[in-house]
Amino acid sequence: MSALLTVDSLVKRFGSGNRTHTAVDKVSFELFPGEVLGIVGESGSGKSTTVRCLMGLERPESGDLRYDGINLRRMTFAQQRRFRSEVQMVFQDPYSSLNPRMTIGRIVAEPLRVNTKLSAAARRDRVVEMLELVGLEARHLARYPRSFSGGQRQRIAIARALVSGPRVLVCDEPVSALDVSVQAQVLNLLKDMQEKLSLSVLFIAHDLAVVRYLCDRLVIMQNGVAVEQGTRDEVYDHPAHPYTQALLEAVPRADPAGERMRRQQRRALIEARTA
Ligand code: ADP
Ligand code: MG
């Protein structure tokens, strides 16, 4: 099976002269159709920069980025259009990622206006369908982001990401800004959407507990370097790199309250899934 997304020796530096900082240092990985690939590392390890390069939001120093075998830098206009509609993103902070001056209806319809020729009526039908799919309702269409909670806003962001029928979803810490009780609901929603729509997902997190439940394979990043890659079971049961071992081990010892929280979170996830 050939990869849907390929990141090959990606390098991204910030700063200039002798004050440069290598945020991403020769990172390589592939995302295959239908899989959930987790990218895990502490804050500052280069996770967001990697996906921002992939989405064209940062310009890398070097490396190859490919979608469906096509180099992102050599895409025709039509291929770029297809990429923008088929690869969608959910950001960390649902407070800053939704335009406060746009109604929910307009926010969710935006990718359809940009990427399709659907009529206004067809767009509205599709938006209502998406809102219902993520657990919201048609009556929410005319409201503004301010009247929604963090969890609901992330549902809106997910509806926007899914409305144009993408093949790939890139989620950059989509639950890190949410209350623990709400995190489980949003993760369950993402998991359900992934299964229902056969999506391929790049899921970024700093929390190994969350990723274990969602991901088929993992990439572990430390200081801009992908230090380990493997299937979920390989990484959790036989971590090869000391940093991965530290990520797995240090959590409960250094942060017992956090671990208790994560245990509750896991239980909530399991209960919500089996309810
Ligand atoms: P993560 O998402 O893993 O927390 P980031 O990709 O956001 O990490 O950041 C990686 C490194 O690059 C950090 O040291 C960060 O300070 C730096 N960095 C990120 N964006 C910029 C920027 N626009 N300008 C300068 N440095 C940046
Ligand atoms: Mg980040």
Side-chain angles (χ1 to χ4, degrees), residues 44 47-49 92 172-173 204:
K47 307 180 298 292
S48 293
T49 304
Q92 176 169 349
D172 189 354
E173 302 207 35
I204 291 163

Side-chain angles (χ1 to χ4, degrees), residues 137-173:
E137 296 161 40
R139 66 189 173 85
H140 292 138
L141 273 177
R143 295 199 194 158
Y144 290 86
R146 66 173 170 272
S147 51
F148 293 93
S149 68
Q152 287 174 318
R153 285 178 201 222
Q154 212 54 319
R155 286 176 193 273
I156 294 163
I158 292 165
R160 174 179 61 185
L162 296 178
V163 77
S164 57
R167 295 168 79 191
V168 180
L169 202 57
V170 177
C171 302
D172 189 354
E173 302 207 35

